């Protein structure tokens, strides 16, 4: 079911998002060669709990961690692990905060030490993809407008858009309708209405978009070993334009 959220529900989600944003800001400071993604995961879990929130990903379909930590050619749902991040890696940290039932979901790709120019460009283009997608999240536009804007830009820059994972509605559970693909045709699909809350979370690859699943049945990685980056925001469709709940830039 596609729901439109009340002002109260949006306020609750914003409170969860404030914790999530603060957590990402701390993680941004921690990411350095030598730290492990398991250490980052432990930090994130503790940060959420100490702020009265619950790491929503733990127990979700049997997932065991507060965060997903996807390194280099891992597209998404990488397991946090006891292995040091290396200079030049890129790592996407994705997490969902539950504060009194309000959910917030945001992923961010971080550079570990000195990343090569191609990697930095991949990150920059992926972030721009997110921004261009958000720009289309307007009352009266359609879902396809979001994906089309992202795909056109990403492919124009020589990258590819992951097909097998999409953005989604969120609240009261983590994954609600609608699906929000990061590719598609303009003026196609569901029409966006005031009060809908969705995530936009493009996963953009250096090489081909095709993914394969690891034996752990969770982690998706590129078939050609090219790197993948991802930025995710949770937004509300409002009559004044998209409201970014997980914005890291506002004070
Ligand atoms: N946070 C992810 C998303 O953006 C979902 C992770 S699935 C989980 O949709 F099992 F790890 F929680
Ligand atoms: Co999401």
């Amino acid at each position: 079911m596609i729901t439109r959220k009340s002002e109260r529900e949006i306020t609750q989600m914003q409170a969860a998002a404030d914790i999530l944003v603060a957590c990402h800001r701390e993680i941004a400071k921690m990411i350095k060669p030598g730290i492990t993604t398991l250490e980052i995961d432990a930090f994130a879990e503790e940060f959420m709990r100490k702020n009265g929130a619950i790491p929503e990903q733990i127990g979700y379909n049997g997932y065991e961690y507060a965060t997903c930590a996807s390194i280099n050619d891992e597209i998404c749902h990488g397991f946090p692990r006891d292995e040091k991040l290396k200079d030049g890696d890129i790592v996407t940290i994705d997490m969902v905060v539950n504060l009194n039932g309000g959910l917030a979901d945001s992923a961010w790709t971080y550079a570990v030490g000195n990343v090569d120019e191609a990697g930095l460009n991949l990150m920059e283009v992926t972030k721009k993809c997110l921004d261009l997608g958000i720009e289309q999240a307007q009352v009266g536009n359609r879902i396809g407008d979001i994906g089309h804007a992202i795909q056109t830009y990403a492919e124009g820059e020589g990258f590819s858009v992951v097909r097998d994972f999409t953005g989604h509605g969120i609240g009261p559970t983590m994954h609600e309708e609608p699906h929000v693909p990061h590719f598609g045709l303009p003026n196609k699909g569901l029409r966006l209405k005031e009060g809908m809350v969705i995530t936009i979370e493009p996963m953009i690859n250096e090489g081909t978009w095709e993914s394969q699943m690891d034996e752990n049945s969770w982690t998706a990685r590129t078939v050609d070993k090219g790197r993948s980056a991802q930025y995710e925001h949770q937004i509300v469709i409002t009559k004044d334009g998209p409201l970014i709940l997980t914005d890291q830039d506002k004070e």
Side-chain angles (χ1 to χ4, degrees):
M1 194 178 54
I2 294 164
T3 57
R4 295 163 71 179
K5 271 67 178 180
S6 66
E7 223 163 286
R8 190 171 150 270
E9 288 170 303
I10 290 166
T11 304
Q12 278 182 336
M13 286 179 159
Q14 181 66 76
D18 291 346
I19 295 170
L20 178 47
V21 166
C23 191
H24 265 306
R25 284 194 178 133
E26 292 304 317
I27 288 170
K29 292 186 238 163
M30 293 170 72
I31 301 256
K32 285 191 180 71
I35 193 166
T36 72
T37 48
L38 209 51
E39 289 170 315
I40 294 164
D41 186 76
F43 169 83
E45 177 170 1
E46 202 195 311
F47 188 92
M48 291 182 213
R49 295 199 191 279
K50 140 185 132 201
N51 282 282
I54 295 166
E56 184 71 5
Q57 293 192 163
I58 297 179
Y60 182 84
N61 289 340
Y63 192 75
E64 294 182 4
Y65 306 94
T67 63
C68 298
S70 308
I71 305 167
N72 296 333
D73 65 321
E74 294 170 349
I75 295 169
C76 62
H77 307 158
F79 287 176
R81 51 192 186 263
D82 189 21
E83 189 186 298
K84 291 180 185 348
L85 290 172
K86 298 186 304 297
D87 188 57
D89 284 344
I90 63 171
V91 58
T92 302
I93 306 292
D94 187 3
M95 55 196 161
V96 182
V97 169
N98 178 339
L99 181 69
N100 303 321
L103 297 183
D105 185 0
S106 177
W108 212 257
T109 299
Y110 297 98
V112 182
N114 299 298
V115 169
D116 63 27
E117 214 168 292
L120 293 175
N121 186 39
L122 172 68
M123 290 171 65
E124 209 168 290
V125 168
T126 306
K127 176 58 170 54
K128 179 89 183 282
C129 283
L130 172 60
D131 295 341
L132 291 171
I134 291 173
E135 209 173 280
Q136 294 300 316
Q138 306 284 347
V139 173
N141 273 9
R142 292 176 184 266
I143 288 277
D145 295 322
I146 296 173
H148 182 69
I150 293 171
Q151 182 179 18
T152 304
Y153 179 67
E155 292 179 355
E157 294 295 316
F159 296 123
S160 69
V161 178
V162 169
R163 304 283 198 272
D164 302 332
F165 302 90
T166 68
H168 49 90
I170 180 166
T173 73
M174 191 193 303
H175 291 148
E176 298 270 331
E177 285 175 58
H179 286 282
V180 183
H182 306 109
F183 55 92
L185 298 171
N187 207 26
K188 294 277 183 211
L190 179 83
R191 207 175 277 287
L192 300 171
K193 296 205 179 81
E194 195 178 350
M196 287 179 181
V197 180
I198 60 170
T199 71
I200 301 177
E201 48 181 299
M203 285 147 270
I204 303 296
N205 296 351
E206 281 189 298
T208 176
W209 57 267
E210 284 152 297
S211 67
Q212 63 190 26
M213 189 65 85
D214 280 6
E215 266 176 36
N216 67 18
S217 312
W218 273 101
T219 309
R221 69 177 70 235
T222 60
V223 295
D224 61 4
K225 301 276 187 275
R227 288 172 291 185
S228 187
Q230 180 185 26
Y231 295 87
E232 172 182 26
H233 273 316
Q234 178 171 328
I235 62 154
V236 188
I237 313 289
T238 85
K239 57 178 183 338
D240 305 319
L243 170 67
I244 305 173
L245 296 176
T246 47
D247 194 353
Q248 297 185 19
D249 296 330
K250 63 187 175 203
E251 84 338 316

